[in-house]
Amino acid sequence: SFHQVFSQTFGFSSLYVPTLDTWLLYMSAIDDLNNPCTTFKIPDDSVLVLVLDHAEHLKARAMVQYVALIECLSWINWQRLNQGQKPLFSLAFKP
């Protein structure tokens, strides 16, 4: 599932609850070296490129999750820009 993939990929802590609010919290903190939410960290001033394999298949099969992923990562980036920080995420779509 969506939450399992992200939890495994980014090493979310055992306290992770598979909700959109928790996902946003964990993904927003992925560059905070002092935050224990994830074992994966983005180095300072870096952008993490998330590559979506089979993006068209995901879009056709799970449109709600597809749109939510795009909108949520955009929201995280927008919040950071509003705080004078650099965006964290970029998306690449593989057919």
Side-chain angles (χ1 to χ4, degrees):
S1 81
F2 175 89
H3 291 282
Q4 288 174 326
V5 168
F6 276 90
S7 182
Q8 291 171 353
T9 302
F10 296 110
F12 289 175
S13 77
S14 61
L15 301 175
Y16 180 72
V17 178
T19 66
L20 189 55
D21 288 339
T22 307
W23 183 85
L24 283 167
L25 178 69
Y26 277 51
M27 292 301 286
S28 294
I30 207 160
D31 67 330
D32 182 351
L33 298 177
N34 297 314
N35 191 319
C37 289
T38 68
T39 56
F40 182 90
K41 301 295 181 192
I42 299 173
D44 286 343
D45 295 326
S46 296
V47 173
L48 177 63
V49 178
L50 297 174
V51 179
L52 295 181
D53 292 332
H54 313 291
E56 287 298 320
H57 177 70
L58 176 63
K59 184 178 178 182
R61 185 178 56 86
M63 177 62 85
V64 171
Q65 289 84 1
Y66 177 84
V67 171
L69 176 65
I70 294 167
E71 290 179 350
C72 289
L73 291 175
S74 295
W75 182 84
I76 292 169
N77 284 342
W78 179 249
Q79 291 299 312
R80 292 179 61 87
L81 288 169
N82 280 336
Q83 297 168 4
Q85 298 174 316
K86 292 184 177 182
L88 284 177
F89 302 106
S90 178
L91 286 172
F93 300 97
K94 269 183 153 178

